[in-house]
Amino acid sequence: MSAPRLSDRDPRVEPDELVGAMVPPPRFDTVRFATYLPNPDEPSQAAAVEACEAFAERVSAGERGWFGSLFRKSPQDKPGLYLDGGFGVGKTHLLASIWHAVPGPKSYGTFVELTNLVGALGFAEAVRRLSAHKLLAIDEFELDDPGDTMLVTRLIKELAAAGVAVAATSNTLPDKLGEGRFAAADFLREIQSMSAKFTVVRVDGPDYRHRGLPDAPEPMTDDELTARAEGTPGATLDDFAGLCARLARLHPSRYGRLLDGVTAVHLRGVAPAPDQAVALRLVALGDRLYDRDIPVAVSGAPLSELFTEEMLRGGYRKKYLRAVSRLVALSR
């Protein structure tokens, strides 16, 4: 029997589901501060754990403790915590640990999911719902275009005024967001106003997903890939070009629902992304595959060649390197 295709699926997420669905992905269901293992050669990692624990304690202290902190002058008492660092250093682990440590109501989502929430509910309704929460955790924070910049800077301002704590992860310092992607200098005031609300915590170190591990396996032949997909219950098999075309017709916030019930993804005829739009969709899909710990097998080009050298020199370099890191880990 032929394996089903992801590109045949049509996932739907109703607006009323969106807030309730804002929880850490399955991979991070059980993570806690105690399960983060700092690299002894990278002192910033142990310091980051301490900073995150202290932040979670302040947020958990309740209305009096939290609002009191807003009026103290200590830079450690800013309404937001921003984890900055390279890929594979455990920032998402720490963000999910903050979320687990803080009592509800609370929300957790990727930057893409947050912007989609605002688009689906409308700005005022999104602010109303999120303002009732103690914490908003935002993974993969990035400003890719002027619209995102204006939307998110205003959202964070409104939520901070309502006493909501915001914790975020990113590969880019908050005052450098958008550089190399759009005319960020034109939005410098908005970006600086937002970044001033965060205490930045740096997390350094090598990518833990590849410490002492071999390179990605060689791509399979088409016949080997098909046989493996058809012999794996719950697996899917797609032509790479066809899946890329399908992703173009889906909002990235629906990519997670696209993978519901899937045990392994098989991609036939993988080739370098033809342009930036396709590449960024593949990044979003790779993040959702990683969140759900879904193995990936391919034929054609290896996953390490998914993004061209020109792309890796551009403004989205860090996103592409993170995607390669995660997809290669899944391919093992």
Side-chain angles (χ1 to χ4, degrees), residues 7 216 218 227 291:
S7 51
E218 287 296 314
D291 288 345

PDB file of all heavy atoms in Angstrom, residues 7 216 218 227 291:
ATOM      1  N   SER A   7       1.161  16.351   1.470  1.00  0.00           N
ATOM      2  CA  SER A   7       0.612  17.364   0.568  1.00  0.00           C
ATOM      3  C   SER A   7      -0.865  17.153   0.260  1.00  0.00           C
ATOM      4  O   SER A   7      -1.515  18.037  -0.305  1.00  0.00           O
ATOM      5  CB  SER A   7       1.413  17.414  -0.735  1.00  0.00           C
ATOM      6  OG  SER A   7       1.544  16.131  -1.303  1.00  0.00           O
ATOM      7  N   ALA A 216      25.161  13.678   8.830  1.00  0.00           N
ATOM      8  CA  ALA A 216      23.870  13.125   8.405  1.00  0.00           C
ATOM      9  C   ALA A 216      24.084  11.910   7.509  1.00  0.00           C
ATOM     10  O   ALA A 216      25.063  11.855   6.749  1.00  0.00           O
ATOM     11  CB  ALA A 216      23.087  14.182   7.655  1.00  0.00           C
ATOM     12  N   GLU A 218      23.772   9.408   4.354  1.00  0.00           N
ATOM     13  CA  GLU A 218      23.647   9.667   2.925  1.00  0.00           C
ATOM     14  C   GLU A 218      22.190   9.493   2.492  1.00  0.00           C
ATOM     15  O   GLU A 218      21.470   8.641   3.041  1.00  0.00           O
ATOM     16  CB  GLU A 218      24.535   8.706   2.133  1.00  0.00           C
ATOM     17  CG  GLU A 218      26.015   9.014   2.240  1.00  0.00           C
ATOM     18  CD  GLU A 218      26.361  10.359   1.631  1.00  0.00           C
ATOM     19  OE1 GLU A 218      25.884  10.638   0.506  1.00  0.00           O
ATOM     20  OE2 GLU A 218      27.075  11.139   2.287  1.00  0.00           O
ATOM     21  N   ALA A 227      10.260   2.034  -0.086  1.00  0.00           N
ATOM     22  CA  ALA A 227      10.077   0.797   0.684  1.00  0.00           C
ATOM     23  C   ALA A 227      10.045   1.092   2.177  1.00  0.00           C
ATOM     24  O   ALA A 227       9.232   0.518   2.920  1.00  0.00           O
ATOM     25  CB  ALA A 227      11.197  -0.187   0.355  1.00  0.00           C
ATOM     26  N   ASP A 291       9.937  19.875  16.859  1.00  0.00           N
ATOM     27  CA  ASP A 291       9.090  19.954  18.048  1.00  0.00           C
ATOM     28  C   ASP A 291       8.454  18.606  18.376  1.00  0.00           C
ATOM     29  O   ASP A 291       8.266  18.258  19.543  1.00  0.00           O
ATOM     30  CB  ASP A 291       7.958  20.966  17.827  1.00  0.00           C
ATOM     31  CG  ASP A 291       8.433  22.403  17.837  1.00  0.00           C
ATOM     32  OD1 ASP A 291       9.567  22.658  18.289  1.00  0.00           O
ATOM     33  OD2 ASP A 291       7.669  23.273  17.383  1.00  0.00           O
TER      34      ASP A 291
END
